[in-house]
Amino acid sequence: TEPLPSREAMLNALPFLLLNGLLIMGLSKLMWIEAIHRISITKASAMIAFIPLFTIAFAYVSLHEIPSRLDLFGAVAITVGSYWITRSG
């Protein structure tokens, strides 16, 4: 484990953290509101469920992290569940 950052280091990083946090949160909230106006909330929620899959893919491509069997099982479960939610009756 690493030691906690100093108070000065935290204060120096605070403006950047706030800018990134507000920018990312603000943009994602605007996109979410726009999405649920264009498609049904059920489909939008199913798309949100794919975020862990994109995280696994990003970790594999950029960090060369091999997904475990549990990760792959979860990916299959997310894909099947999203299909069941969004399919037409």
Side-chain angles (χ1 to χ4, degrees):
T1 62
E2 294 189 23
L4 292 174
S6 67
R7 180 174 171 81
E8 182 181 329
M10 288 177 27
L11 289 175
N12 287 339
L14 188 61
F16 299 107
L17 291 173
L18 288 173
L19 178 67
N20 283 328
L22 293 174
L23 184 68
I24 291 171
M25 186 180 124
L27 284 176
S28 66
K29 190 60 69 175
L30 288 172
M31 287 184 203
W32 174 253
I33 291 170
E34 191 63 31
I36 61 175
H37 277 81
R38 294 177 185 260
I39 60 176
S40 71
I41 189 74
T42 306
K43 288 185 180 182
S45 296
M47 288 181 194
I48 291 289
F50 282 107
I51 290 175
L53 298 179
F54 291 125
T55 303
I56 290 171
F58 177 77
Y60 179 73
V61 170
S62 64
L63 303 174
H64 307 290
E65 183 176 322
I66 306 297
S68 68
R69 287 184 181 179
L70 189 60
D71 293 335
L72 296 176
F73 177 74
V76 170
I78 289 170
T79 304
V80 170
S82 295
Y83 171 73
W84 282 345
I85 288 173
T86 58
R87 68 182 173 157
S88 322

